[in-house]
Amino acid sequence: MKVMVIGGGGREHAIIKKLKENKTITEIYALPGNGGMAEDAICVDIGAKDIEKQVEFAVNNKIDYAVVAPDDPLVLGAVDALNKVGVPCFGPDKKAAIIEGSKVFSKNLMKKYNIPTAEYEVFSDKETALKYLDTAPIPTVIKADGLALGKGVIIAETREDAKAAVTSMMEDKIFGDSGSNIVIEEFLTGPEVSVLSFTDGKTVVPMISSMDHKRALDGDMGLNTGGMGTIAPNPYYTEDIAKVCMETIFLPTINAMNSEGRTFKGCLYFGLMLTEKGPKVIEYNCRFGDPETQVVLPLLESDLLTVMQSVTNGTLDTCEVKFSDKSAACVVMASNGYPQKYESGFELNIDNSVKDSVYVAGARLDDGVLKTAGGRVLGVTAIGEDLKTAINNAYSKVDKVKFGNAFYRKDIGAKALKA
Ligand code: AMP
Ligand code: GLY
């Protein structure tokens, strides 16, 4: 069986490594992948957003199954295009991917179907938004409507900062057209939980819960990043809370999408905040999280391809999805300076003893030599009997990875250990 995975980061590397446990897969391609995963997949120089070329490649190479991992191609309709030429896919179609592609859509969906989320207002006009901010509760949260590389959210502690954020999105267009419409919402507090779920539009199977660490520096200081590390399971997410989430959030969301004629099939990611008034949705993603996937999939004991195909075929209700009762931790190693300016192009040495535990996000092969080529370079994952052991194991493995200008947080999982 020939499988292709669209995308080129650590998440895709984790998906590929897990898929490869299925021995019916004879060839696995990554479009575009990166030099750091060349031992696990055949990397093909076709960009994640180049849908036309992806379709052409799938047809020419008789691809049997495709996994569309990143948000951009999903929102642009890669699944629709591949299905059209007969390639079955894991991932939502364009109509369903809007749940991540438009924050205005997802907020309105939650309001219409009574799914708990932060109070909000939508604005398409800068002056009205600025006027609203004269009296809005502070701190407040400003979100660009469209995709913005995970950076379209600004938390403003003062009215001035809030107004500056609105101006930067709506007038200066720092996120391009994504900021033409904005959402201004209530600032919530509480522990955050990521729950990735498999759904075929009828059944929803939550995966093991996880916790991301979005800020660049220890103690949750510094700028927001794509994610500096993760742990799973998330100790704040108790069985009781999981039950509440299933009843008030997961099933209502699947049903709401069906009612809107936008059946969601794939991985639906629930970004939750456990507030004093109960769990609320911070965001939906139409895909696996990065770097959540790097702790969730290593704990999956069932065969990933079988689960994905059951999602595609609408038979998830009969598919076993089993997770280990161990814990996992992933420490992201980045280039110093990320998420702002950083230098790369340094030689990357991953000791053989830890190769299986490393998910490469930003590297390239330069005449056979692996070099850093990105802000987030890789994630190092370890499993342990409990969370503390998993974290210790992950940091021991980090010591076996060397590259110039390396930087990583030293406190991944510390907050979870305090739960
Ligand atoms: P996002 O880019 O949507 O993942 O948001 C980035 C981060 O902003 C989230 O992980 C939260 O920590 C924070 N955030 C988003 N919305 C809110 C909110 N309404 N209240 C408090 N924090 C928020
Ligand atoms: N780790 C957050 C995300 O994938 O959006």
Side-chain angles (χ1 to χ4, degrees):
M1 178 157 186
K2 290 178 163 185
V3 175
M4 74 183 212
V5 176
I6 293 174
R11 165 184 54 204
E12 287 76 12
H13 199 183
I15 291 171
I16 286 167
K17 279 194 171 169
K18 194 75 200 172
L19 282 173
K20 280 184 64 181
E21 292 175 10
N22 182 311
K23 296 304 167 204
T24 68
I25 297 178
T26 49
E27 276 139 89
I28 189 154
Y29 298 92
L31 282 63
N34 73 66
M37 56 174 92
E39 287 178 18
D40 293 305
I42 304 162
C43 296
V44 181
D45 191 16
I46 293 176
K49 288 201 262 186
D50 199 343
I51 296 176
E52 221 170 283
K53 288 218 176 99
Q54 291 159 8
V55 169
E56 192 183 301
F57 177 84
V59 171
N60 289 344
N61 293 278
K62 301 196 168 55
I63 296 296
D64 298 298
Y65 193 69
V67 178
V68 184
D71 47 359
D72 280 312
L74 288 166
V75 170
L76 290 169
V79 168
D80 309 60
L82 287 160
N83 283 343
K84 211 165 153 190
V85 295
V87 180
C89 294
F90 181 84
D93 63 11
K94 185 175 177 173
K95 266 179 108 176
I98 192 175
I99 198 165
E100 175 171 3
S102 167
K103 291 226 162 36
V104 173
F105 171 85
S106 67
K107 293 298 290 189
N108 289 342
L109 183 85
M110 288 185 269
K111 186 185 264 178
K112 184 170 170 187
Y113 294 92
N114 283 317
I115 297 165
T117 188
E119 296 292 333
Y120 72 102
E121 299 285 338
V122 175
F123 297 93
S124 53
D125 167 67
K126 189 191 82 176
E127 294 311 322
T128 321
L130 292 178
K131 192 148 175 257
Y132 170 79
L133 284 173
D134 280 332
T135 53
I138 294 294
T140 190
V141 184
I142 326 265
K143 300 186 170 182
D145 177 40
L147 297 179
L149 294 169
K151 293 179 188 150
V153 175
I154 296 176
I155 295 172
E157 308 278 350
T158 66
R159 247 170 250 293
E160 291 64 43
D161 286 354
K163 289 185 176 183
V166 165
T167 303
S168 68
M169 286 187 196
M170 301 191 88
E171 189 171 291
D172 307 338
K173 299 265 177 200
I174 55 166
F175 303 124
D177 284 341
S178 286
S180 299
N181 295 305
I182 60 163
V183 171
I184 300 183
E185 71 177 32
E186 179 196 4
F187 176 75
L188 299 176
T189 53
E192 284 187 60
V193 185
S194 305
V195 180
L196 285 57
S197 70
F198 291 109
T199 177
D200 60 1
K202 295 175 286 190
T203 306
V204 57
V205 180
M207 298 179 223
I208 198 163
S209 62
S210 53
M211 182 193 283
D212 194 2
H213 297 69
K214 283 191 202 282
R215 300 296 195 98
L217 307 175
D218 285 9
D220 290 333
M221 307 296 278
L223 294 171
N224 245 326
T225 70
M228 294 301 292
T230 37
I231 56 97
N234 185 324
Y236 290 98
Y237 190 71
T238 60
E239 260 174 51
D240 286 345
I241 291 174
K243 225 182 252 166
V244 172
C245 289
M246 181 55 92
E247 278 161 24
T248 64
I249 295 173
F250 305 160
L251 287 171
T253 301
I254 301 303
N255 293 336
M257 291 297 277
N258 286 335
S259 300
E260 295 295 309
R262 295 175 184 274
T263 295
F264 190 103
K265 294 171 98 170
C267 173
L268 183 53
Y269 167 130
F270 299 91
L272 307 173
M273 196 171 269
L274 309 180
T275 75
E276 277 180 359
K277 292 185 187 151
K280 295 193 180 190
V281 178
I282 289 283
E283 62 165 346
Y284 293 115
N285 290 326
C286 66
R287 51 168 175 87
F288 284 96
D290 189 342
E292 284 90 341
T293 306
Q294 290 90 313
V295 285
V296 169
L297 289 188
L299 293 172
L300 177 66
E301 289 180 342
S302 310
D303 175 56
L304 179 60
L305 181 66
T306 307
V307 179
M308 285 182 158
Q309 286 177 315
S310 80
V311 166
T312 308
N313 300 334
T315 54
L316 184 59
D317 59 335
T318 61
C319 185
E320 191 195 43
V321 185
K322 196 169 176 295
F323 282 88
S324 155
D325 51 17
K326 294 185 178 164
S327 297
C330 172
V331 178
V332 168
M333 299 181 74
S335 302
N336 196 18
Y338 170 77
Q340 291 180 300
K341 242 176 74 143
Y342 56 83
E343 278 179 57
S344 58
F346 298 97
E347 198 171 325
L348 172 53
N349 287 301
I350 304 168
D351 193 85
N352 268 333
S353 63
V354 298
K355 266 205 172 138
D356 287 348
S357 326
V358 170
Y359 302 112
V360 183
R364 65 187 159 83
L365 278 169
D366 189 355
D367 269 339
V369 179
L370 196 58
K371 293 190 173 163
T372 61
R376 287 192 295 172
V377 175
L378 52 83
V380 182
T381 294
I383 291 176
E385 289 301 325
D386 54 33
L387 186 57
K388 195 156 188 244
T389 314
I391 295 165
N392 289 341
N393 290 351
Y395 278 107
S396 313
K397 290 180 178 187
V398 163
D399 292 337
K400 300 218 155 51
V401 176
K402 306 266 182 240
F403 59 89
N405 209 27
F407 164 78
Y408 57 91
R409 273 181 66 161
K410 311 283 191 298
D411 67 340
I412 298 304
K415 199 161 53 181
L417 286 177
K418 285 195 206 130

